[in-house]
Amino acid sequence: MRLLVTGGAGFIGSNFVHRSLAQHDCTITVLDIMGYAANPQSLAGLADNYPSRFDLVVGDICDKPLVDKLVAEHDVVVHFAAESHNDQSLRDPLRFATTNVLGTIGVCEAAVRHSKRLHHISTDEVFGDLAFDDPHKFTPDTCYRPSSPYSASKASADHFVRAYIRSFGLAATISNCSNNYGPRQHPEKFIPRQITALLSGQQPRLYGSGQHVRDWIHVDDHNDAVWKIIESGQLGETYLIGADGEHTNAQVIAYLLEIVGADPHDYVHVTDRAGHDRRYAIDASSTLALGWEPQHRDFRAGLAETVAWYRENPQWWANSRQQAEAFYQQSETITGNGGDATGS
Ligand code: NAD
Ligand code: TDX
């Protein structure tokens, strides 16, 4: 199988590329713009280790002739490429509309033109948030209610993929996954930001009260589910991927402080994110029904492995941590009381 992996130099995409080359009978071409979120070190060595099976094309998913040519040369497109950070989307919403919406439309057009299979990677954030005490989880039938420019752009991209399925016969599946953690995640994101702070002798930073809940899944479990959908998913269907991993952000920081052997109170509350989603929770029945199961069931053990990876790879994150902290410094202040931007 010849795979075109968009966004394959980012967090989830690069983990997908490593795992796929090691475990599946496939060749992979990565199409990535190699912007701030990509790390060339994430793909280092692959061209030597897999000389006839791996290739990197540096380019933009919005470059229609390039996308058209690459899609024509492959069997399946796995579409990870996106602007992916909520805090960045609050500063520059249009960048998110351009890449996530227009870029996805271009990928869909090429896949229709060349009758190629597409798997579109999306997020649980398209459903908006849940109240802390809501007994329900997100299902494929949950209404879309995105809160941020990022989640609005991903929701729009999902709608376009479905529109191309229905109107133009696009052979596609969609997956909406919960929050991923694991190696090679950019230090702008919550877990690597706190890990790299601790490894740099600095304090973790909790938005607002820290009572917001995220539903964590190990990146390898996400990528195994993507393979299961590519191999056994039904065309036109949407699959929800999650591992029953709900934890408050304050709990996650407590686990990390414990893992590195630091004082459990050694963190600070900072300005809350505008429009901050309170809680996400995924009902993964649609993907479990395909025979997939998450393997990383012990979140604290997975966090400890992730801390070990960042400890062993400081050269991977040193520059991007600096850039991420410069971005946060423009607006973030320490707030003693932990006030929230959105109520419960
Ligand atoms: P990431 O930011 O680490 O990686 C995104 C990659 O896309 C980067 O390498 C970037 O350079 C590339 N890219 C951005 N714009 C591009 C363009 N115009 N052309 C080509 N490449 C471009 O993000 P991630 O966390 O790996 O997320 C990957 C996908 O998974 C995204 O679609 C995201 O919405 C989705 N997702 C992420 C999570 C999560 O927890 N991180 C959860 C669910 C879904
Ligand atoms: O320093 C921080 N302190 C903090 O408390 C940062 C960076 C974040 N947070 C909070 C905000 C969220 O409640 O941690 C939680 C997780 O934040 P992010 O890592 O920014 O993730 P989130 O906004 O939940 O979105 C992520 O999951 C869904 C990914 O970034 C998206 O790409 C994916 O779609």
Side-chain angles (χ1 to χ4, degrees):
M1 197 186 281
R2 296 167 304 168
L3 298 183
L4 176 63
V5 178
T6 71
F11 164 47
I12 306 175
S14 64
N15 280 288
F16 179 84
V17 171
H18 280 271
R19 202 163 173 80
S20 301
L21 289 169
Q23 298 188 353
H24 294 267
D25 182 13
C26 63
T27 67
I28 292 187
T29 304
V30 166
L31 171 61
D32 201 297
I33 200 166
M34 301 308 285
Y36 87 94
N39 191 328
Q41 294 176 63
S42 296
L43 301 175
L46 289 176
D48 292 333
N49 293 342
Y50 302 98
S52 55
R53 293 180 57 206
F54 173 77
D55 196 14
L56 168 65
V57 175
V58 177
D60 189 338
I61 55 163
C62 298
D63 179 343
K64 285 190 173 189
L66 175 64
V67 168
D68 191 73
K69 173 182 169 293
L70 289 172
V71 169
E73 293 167 356
H74 293 80
D75 303 312
V76 176
V77 184
V78 191
H79 180 39
F80 290 96
E83 290 289 348
S84 70
H85 192 32
N86 274 301
D87 293 322
Q88 291 267 359
S89 84
L90 295 166
R91 299 261 181 96
D92 189 359
L94 208 51
R95 182 154 57 91
F96 283 67
T98 306
T99 295
N100 299 357
V101 186
L102 301 183
T104 298
I105 293 173
V107 171
C108 289
E109 275 176 4
V112 167
R113 189 171 309 115
H114 300 290
S115 302
K116 300 293 173 142
R117 167 77 190 277
L118 169 67
H119 181 69
H120 173 64
I121 305 288
S122 190
T123 169
D124 59 359
E125 298 195 15
V126 298
F127 302 119
D129 62 354
L130 294 163
F132 293 115
D133 58 355
D134 192 327
H136 302 101
K137 295 185 171 197
F138 299 135
T139 74
D141 296 324
T142 304
C143 286
Y144 275 36
R145 267 189 326 133
S147 318
S148 74
Y150 163 68
S151 48
S153 68
K154 292 295 291 186
S156 176
D158 292 9
H159 288 319
F160 271 100
V161 174
R162 284 198 194 93
Y164 272 73
I165 291 170
R166 170 112 181 213
S167 304
F168 305 118
L170 173 65
T173 40
I174 298 175
S175 55
N176 298 83
C177 189
S178 59
N179 282 60
N180 285 218
Y181 74 96
R184 305 189 191 93
Q185 186 171 27
H186 195 284
E188 70 184 353
K189 303 286 170 38
F190 177 55
I191 287 179
R193 186 179 187 207
Q194 315 314 331
I195 294 174
T196 58
L198 288 166
L199 296 178
S200 309
Q202 285 159 22
Q203 290 176 304
R205 301 192 148 223
L206 197 51
Y207 288 177
S209 66
Q211 292 314 303
H212 306 82
V213 174
R214 294 295 180 266
D215 185 358
W216 293 99
I217 183 172
H218 193 279
V219 64
D220 287 343
D221 283 330
H222 179 185
N223 284 328
D224 287 349
V226 168
W227 264 105
K228 184 58 90 175
I229 296 164
I230 291 170
E231 289 173 340
S232 341
Q234 199 179 324
L235 291 180
E237 286 300 308
T238 292
Y239 295 89
L240 265 51
I241 305 172
D244 293 327
E246 286 186 67
H247 299 271
T248 67
N249 295 336
Q251 279 167 337
V252 175
I253 285 194
Y255 299 152
L256 292 173
L257 286 163
E258 187 188 320
I259 288 165
V260 302
D263 174 346
H265 305 293
D266 199 8
Y267 64 88
V268 287
H269 291 274
V270 294
T271 332
D272 198 12
R273 171 184 287 167
H276 197 170
D277 279 342
R278 293 162 295 177
R279 174 176 160 239
Y280 308 135
I282 284 271
D283 173 347
S285 308
S286 50
T287 311
L288 292 167
L290 297 177
W292 164 84
E293 268 185 38
Q295 302 300 310
H296 292 79
R297 294 193 176 274
D298 182 340
F299 178 57
R300 290 159 82 153
L303 276 185
E305 280 172 28
T306 306
V307 170
W309 186 88
Y310 281 89
R311 200 190 288 283
E312 284 157 20
N313 292 280
Q315 77 296 342
W316 186 94
W317 53 263
N319 286 341
S320 43
R321 170 168 169 78
Q322 244 179 11
Q323 282 168 11
E325 291 309 311
F327 168 81
Y328 284 122
Q329 240 178 18
Q330 292 168 34
S331 57
E332 199 172 85
T333 51
I334 294 177
T335 60
N337 60 5
D340 284 344
T342 42
S344 61

